[in-house]
Amino acid sequence: MIKLRNKTQIEKLRESGRIAAGALRLAGELAKPGTTLISIDTAIRHFIESHGAVPSFLNYNGFPASACISVNDEVIHGIPDGRRLQEGDIVSIDVGAYYKGFHGDCANTFGVGEISEEAKRLIEVTKASFFKGFGMIAENNRIGDIASAVQETAESAGFSVVREYVGHGVGENLHESPDVPNYGRPGRGPRLMTGMVFAVEPMICQHSAEVKVLSNEWTVVTVDKGLAAHYENTVALTENGPVILTDAD
């Protein structure tokens, strides 16, 4: 069942979204050569908890960290550890915060020091595909309109779209209905209505979109070892149009 949120609930979602966005902004500032992944995760946890919130991902279905931190060919669900970021890496950081009964969920991919032009383009196109999808959020449009816009933007740039993992509704639970794929056909899927809140999160691959899960049962990587990028915001469709609840830029 897709839940429709009133103004009061959306404002609470905005509060949790601001905390998640602040933590993501901090993480991006820390993503420099020599920084360990676990130190970024620790900083994210401290930031979220210092604002009276709880990291949404910590112990979620057994996930052992406060953020998903995925490097280079890791698409999503990377487990932060003692690895150090290297010059030229790209790192995708996914953050959630639970505050006053609601979650905020957002992600971005950051370049570490000087990165290749292709890596820059992948990051830019992934972000652009989000905003193309966001531009399709309107009363009586459909989820497929968002999905199609994301897919067209990524594929027209020569990249590919992960199929196995999708965006989702956000509310009292971190993952709710509806699913929000990053591929599809216009005019298909649930109709968009005022009060809907969901995460749009393109996961875009440099080459093939074929992925697999590592033996830790969490980390998703590209099979061909190509780079992957991730960009996500929690959004709401209000009576005044769509708004981003987790804007960290």
Side-chain angles (χ1 to χ4, degrees):
M1 181 181 70
I2 298 173
K3 298 179 181 179
L4 301 181
R5 310 295 179 177
N6 59 37
K7 290 181 180 179
T8 299
Q9 292 170 321
I10 289 176
E11 189 53 41
K12 289 182 178 180
L13 282 153
R14 191 191 301 273
E15 290 181 44
S16 56
R18 285 176 181 147
I19 296 171
L24 182 60
R25 188 181 304 110
L26 171 63
E29 294 169 356
L30 296 174
K32 299 183 183 302
T35 303
T36 63
L37 305 188
I38 193 66
S39 68
I40 296 175
D41 183 74
T42 298
I44 288 170
R45 180 173 182 174
H46 287 167
F47 181 94
I48 291 172
E49 291 179 344
S50 72
H51 287 77
V54 175
S56 298
F57 302 161
L58 186 60
N59 299 319
Y60 181 78
N61 290 335
F63 188 75
S66 296
C68 301
I69 304 182
S70 309
V71 182
N72 294 332
D73 63 324
E74 297 174 350
V75 184
I76 51 172
H77 302 164
I79 299 175
D81 54 21
R83 287 176 293 164
R84 294 185 183 274
L85 292 172
Q86 304 293 320
E87 184 87 14
D89 286 342
I90 65 172
V91 56
S92 299
I93 303 175
D94 193 354
V95 176
Y98 181 70
Y99 183 67
K100 295 183 179 179
F102 290 92
H103 292 272
D105 190 5
C106 54
N108 200 356
T109 301
F110 305 95
V112 181
E114 289 296 321
I115 64 174
S116 69
E117 290 302 315
E118 180 74 350
K120 289 179 184 177
R121 194 170 72 87
L122 175 63
I123 291 171
E124 290 168 356
V125 168
T126 302
K127 182 175 180 177
S129 69
F130 165 86
F131 280 100
K132 286 291 187 180
F134 179 75
M136 299 306 298
I137 300 174
E139 186 83 19
N140 292 320
N141 277 2
R142 293 184 179 272
I143 292 291
D145 299 320
I146 301 170
S148 175
V150 171
Q151 180 181 9
E152 181 179 359
T153 304
E155 292 182 350
S156 66
F159 299 128
S160 62
V161 177
V162 172
R163 260 64 169 176
E164 290 86 345
Y165 302 91
V166 299
H168 51 88
V170 180
E172 293 94 345
N173 299 299
L174 182 59
H175 295 95
E176 299 184 351
S177 294
D179 286 347
V180 186
N182 296 305
Y183 64 95
R185 296 174 60 184
R188 299 295 181 88
R191 191 177 300 278
L192 301 180
M193 302 172 62
T194 296
M196 289 177 67
V197 178
F198 49 85
V200 178
E201 52 175 316
M203 290 157 270
I204 309 300
C205 300
Q206 181 184 14
H207 303 306
S208 169
E210 185 179 1
V211 298
K212 64 180 181 179
V213 180
L214 296 183
S215 59
N216 64 22
E217 300 183 349
W218 280 105
T219 307
V220 178
V221 301
T222 58
V223 171
D224 65 7
K225 301 296 184 181
L227 298 176
H230 183 199
Y231 188 87
E232 174 187 19
N233 279 301
T234 302
V235 303
L237 179 52
T238 74
E239 58 187 21
N240 296 316
V243 296
I244 296 175
L245 304 178
T246 50
D247 188 0
D249 294 333

